[in-house]
Amino acid sequence: MTTTSVFSISLSKSNPDIFTKYLPGFWDAIAKMEPLPTQVVIAHSVVDHCGVTNPPKDFPVKIKYVPVEVPDNENYVRDALKYMNAAMSAVETDWMSFCGLDDRMMPHAYRDIPAATEAGAEIVIGGVKLTTDSNYMSGWSRETLNYPGGYRMAAHCPFTKALYDRVGPWPNLYWYDVGWWNMCFKAGVEVYNTDNLFAIFDVGADHPTISGPLANPERIQAAEIEVTAFLKELWNGA
């Protein structure tokens, strides 16, 4: 039987009030998935600021917690990368996909994984919504992924643990998502396409992507320079 994991992260730098508010919906959405994932893996700060280590009673999926000790000397995104890689490294199943504590998995997010496995694919590409009332978004090409926010179209796509092990951990970039998906392209990843909807980015005005350090113009400009140099070296070797 093919096994699956939802992985997530809880950072010490996160606003605990925001994620405490979203946590009940996070748990509820996963509990309603058909089929259920085999496991939920959560990398969290050593001090649990938002209660993520206290799941609902009788939650129907096995949970694996991965405590992460990260010095508060970088920033939200750089720290998130360390938590992401810690969570993915700890996954023990065939497939996995990311879901932020403020996101919502869709009920049939994993319906295509058996067919993808049979086809020899390593990633299932479908779609996401950026908010509960936004338009459906999907795409899988270097053009759609290589711009700010473009990776969101693929952020919740299921991929195999074997792919993560083969391509390597997500790179040390501000836009590590863009970097890793390009690493997958370079590795010649096998893709299974579907019209399925995987998740909703249920973000509001209080989310750090909208109002916090992630929206800092100077930091965004530096990120553009950084990821451009990374992609140039990745594809051109220079």
Side-chain angles (χ1 to χ4, degrees):
M1 183 181 71
T2 303
T3 55
T4 58
S5 290
V6 175
F7 71 91
S8 192
I9 62 173
S10 177
L11 282 68
S12 60
K13 285 187 165 114
S14 302
N15 184 328
D17 294 334
I18 294 175
F19 292 99
T20 300
K21 175 177 71 175
Y22 285 119
L23 263 176
F26 169 83
W27 294 122
D28 184 62
I30 293 176
K32 291 178 179 177
M33 291 175 66
E34 298 179 8
L36 284 169
T38 310
Q39 184 181 52
V40 175
V41 177
I42 299 179
H44 63 93
S45 57
V46 175
V47 178
D48 179 9
H49 294 271
C50 67
V52 72
T53 58
N54 295 302
K57 185 179 179 181
D58 300 325
F59 185 69
V61 181
K62 175 185 176 182
I63 305 172
K64 180 177 183 178
Y65 288 106
V66 184
V68 179
E69 191 167 356
V70 176
D72 288 339
N73 59 2
E74 292 197 59
N75 58 58
Y76 183 93
V77 175
R78 301 289 185 184
D79 286 355
L81 168 64
K82 297 171 184 176
Y83 283 76
M84 288 283 201
N85 279 320
M88 288 182 282
S89 296
V91 165
E92 301 169 317
T93 56
D94 303 316
W95 288 79
M96 58 178 150
S97 69
F98 173 71
C99 184
L101 298 183
D102 52 343
D103 302 337
R104 302 290 178 270
M105 294 294 293
M106 297 300 287
H108 302 291
Y110 288 171
R111 73 175 189 194
D112 296 297
I113 286 179
T117 300
E118 185 175 348
E122 300 166 285
I123 298 178
V124 180
I125 300 300
V128 300
K129 287 186 175 183
L130 297 188
T131 63
T132 53
D133 59 354
S134 71
N135 293 327
Y136 174 91
M137 297 182 67
S138 64
W140 180 253
S141 71
R142 288 178 62 189
E143 288 72 27
T144 59
L145 293 175
N146 286 358
Y147 69 91
Y151 70 87
R152 291 181 182 276
M153 296 183 189
H156 288 77
C157 293
F159 58 93
T160 66
K161 178 64 182 296
L163 175 65
Y164 178 79
D165 292 340
R166 177 165 68 92
V167 173
W170 290 13
N172 185 23
L173 299 169
Y174 191 86
W175 285 332
Y176 47 80
D177 317 70
V178 175
W180 197 73
W181 291 119
N182 272 269
M183 289 163 63
C184 290
F185 279 116
K186 184 74 179 288
V189 65
E190 293 293 330
V191 173
Y192 184 92
N193 290 287
T194 177
D195 60 358
N196 194 20
L197 185 65
F198 299 133
I200 296 174
F201 282 89
D202 198 12
V203 298
D206 56 356
H207 191 276
T209 303
I210 307 299
S211 60
L214 301 190
N216 183 303
E218 292 182 0
R219 186 167 287 172
I220 294 300
Q221 184 179 18
E224 290 178 351
I225 295 171
E226 178 186 54
V227 76
T228 298
F230 175 85
L231 295 178
K232 181 180 179 182
E233 181 175 359
L234 177 69
W235 290 102
N236 302 325

